[in-house]
Amino acid sequence: MAGEFELIEHLLGQVRADRLTHPPVLGPGDDCALLKASSPDMAWAITTDMLVSGVHFLDQDHPYDLGWKTLAVNLSDLAAMGAAPRYVTLAAAIPPEDASDTTWIDSFFSGFMACARQYGVGLIGGDTTRGPRVFSVTALGEVLPGCALRRDRAESGDDVWVSGAPGYAALGLRAKLDHLDLPENVGTLAERALHHPLPRIELGLALHEVAHSAIDVSDGLLQDLGHIARASGLVATLRAEMLPAAPEGIDHALWRACLFGGGDDYELLFTAPPAARPSIQALSHTLSLPLTRIGYMQKPLGEGTIDSCGVQVLDAAQKFLDLALLSKGFDHFA
Ligand code: ADP
Ligand code: MG
């Protein structure tokens, strides 16, 4: 492979044949793609996430997994808004070696496109440049504005729910970095959670009817729930005994750190009124996806300043856990 244009052509060759339910008016190849919403009532939900070598992934990571995850984390933001994914762009910085020997980038791109096809999104453009490996995706989805699942719409009295199996991705990362030996079944789940996250698109769409607010768990349960609590002017209380228990053979303290502070789960955290419990249980059954009620939202005690909003965890003896002892979630500049 030689230059930028051959590389772009090489990658995009595979994309043009894709059949999409919502094809763009004009796909990649010109100066811009052209898009039309599926109806005038729909709003565009737009999100960008960047993955940087050495920060979000390691060069030793498998490129196929990385390609999958690069797209999946962006689609997860659409899921958290209750939007239906439609289109993505991919801006890629890659070292010159990746352009001359395309084995790595081909594998990355296969993983990326596998995720795109699974969720029916079209790659409509991007940019390719030389540099240390950095991948930036912009994802566009459609949602009826009144149905969008916002962070600032939780209500006092809402239940707090989480999907899937939070904590496993962080456990997978800890196991990898610290060379921990996990029991085989736990290790397999943890590795899958870390490398092959599944954006909860169907759940996000189904939550239009039942949830007041939602966020995806990318930076840890406490931190992400804190975003809902503060945006909504409320306190979120998690009940320790309702949280997923440590998998067999996993140290309790390690599990708590992974569950509360570990990121990378890409599960949905949402709030809904207690009257919605039967519908949520039915939804869990329909989607074959665990949905676990883990706490509730309430008004802050006293005059609610923004500082009094946030997250607290109550144990079975009604004592508050010391959150300073638990990992607080990921912050790039902390
Ligand atoms: P321009 O110079 O007009 O920005 P480029 O030469 O950068 O155009 O790209 C040519 C076409 O290929 C554009 O339509 C662009 O969207 C697309 N493209 C470039 N890189 C990528 C990529 N990594 N993924 C998807 N499409 C890409
Ligand atoms: Mg360009």
Side-chain angles (χ1 to χ4, degrees):
M1 191 74 42
E4 173 190 343
F5 301 106
E6 286 91 338
L7 179 63
I8 293 174
E9 201 39 52
H10 169 73
L11 296 176
L12 291 184
Q14 323 172 31
V15 172
R16 296 218 172 83
D18 272 7
R19 298 240 172 280
L20 295 170
T21 52
H22 295 79
V25 179
L26 182 66
D30 212 314
D31 295 311
C32 291
L34 299 176
L35 304 179
K36 233 178 167 169
S38 58
S39 99
D41 299 332
M42 290 298 214
W44 288 109
I46 302 179
T47 177
T48 300
D49 255 313
M50 193 151 78
L51 280 88
V52 178
S53 173
V55 180
H56 302 93
F57 64 91
L58 305 172
D59 273 333
Q60 315 72 290
D61 287 348
H62 198 288
Y64 182 96
D65 290 340
L66 188 60
W68 174 281
K69 189 164 173 175
T70 297
L71 181 52
V73 302
N74 279 275
L75 299 186
S76 174
D77 281 320
L78 294 180
M81 262 348 248
R86 298 278 188 252
Y87 308 111
V88 290
T89 64
L90 169 63
I94 55 171
E97 310 87 83
D98 286 353
S100 47
D101 171 4
T102 62
T103 317
W104 193 95
I105 196 72
D106 282 341
S107 176
F108 173 92
F109 201 68
S110 302
F112 185 94
M113 288 310 300
C115 186
R117 289 179 187 122
Q118 177 148 333
Y119 293 94
V121 301
L123 178 63
I124 53 158
D127 198 22
T128 308
T129 173
R130 183 161 58 127
R133 284 178 187 141
V134 176
F135 301 97
S136 176
V137 171
T138 295
L140 295 91
E142 287 189 85
V143 64
L144 273 173
C147 292
L149 301 169
R150 300 169 46 148
R151 298 177 182 191
D152 59 357
R153 293 292 195 267
E155 293 182 16
S156 177
D158 276 359
D159 295 322
V160 176
W161 296 79
V162 69
S163 66
Y168 276 82
L171 188 60
L173 183 64
R174 286 291 287 274
K176 193 162 102 173
L177 297 179
D178 299 348
H179 307 285
L180 302 179
D181 260 331
L182 300 178
E184 196 185 318
N185 56 335
V186 179
T188 309
L189 288 173
E191 198 168 305
R192 215 166 159 73
L194 179 64
H195 293 302
H196 202 82
L198 299 173
R200 302 302 187 187
I201 299 293
E202 274 187 292
L203 174 61
L205 293 172
L207 287 179
H208 287 179
E209 308 298 326
V210 287
H212 285 148
S213 69
I215 190 169
D216 63 325
V217 186
S218 54
D219 298 326
L221 207 57
L222 293 185
Q223 184 159 303
D224 289 318
L225 184 55
H227 291 314
I228 290 188
R230 278 182 294 274
S232 301
L234 297 172
V235 176
T237 304
L238 293 181
R239 300 300 308 260
E241 78 279 9
M242 294 162 87
L243 292 163
E248 221 173 290
I250 302 301
D251 172 73
H252 190 67
L254 169 64
W255 176 245
R256 283 217 160 154
C258 291
L259 185 62
F260 288 129
D264 262 4
D265 285 316
Y266 304 101
E267 293 297 345
L268 293 191
L269 189 58
F270 58 96
T271 78
R277 285 177 197 173
S279 326
I280 294 171
Q281 271 140 12
L283 186 59
S284 166
H285 188 75
T286 314
L287 299 178
S288 303
L289 175 66
L291 298 175
T292 312
R293 187 160 59 83
I294 56 174
Y296 50 84
M297 307 298 296
Q298 63 198 141
K299 292 208 172 78
L301 288 176
E303 272 326 290
T305 62
I306 205 75
D307 287 342
S308 59
C309 300
V311 184
Q312 56 192 18
V313 185
L314 263 184
D315 69 12
Q318 304 291 322
K319 284 211 326 245
F320 288 110
L321 299 190
D322 183 353
L323 298 190
L325 292 178
L326 302 165
S327 174
K328 277 277 187 55
F330 193 74
D331 175 339
H332 279 275
F333 299 103

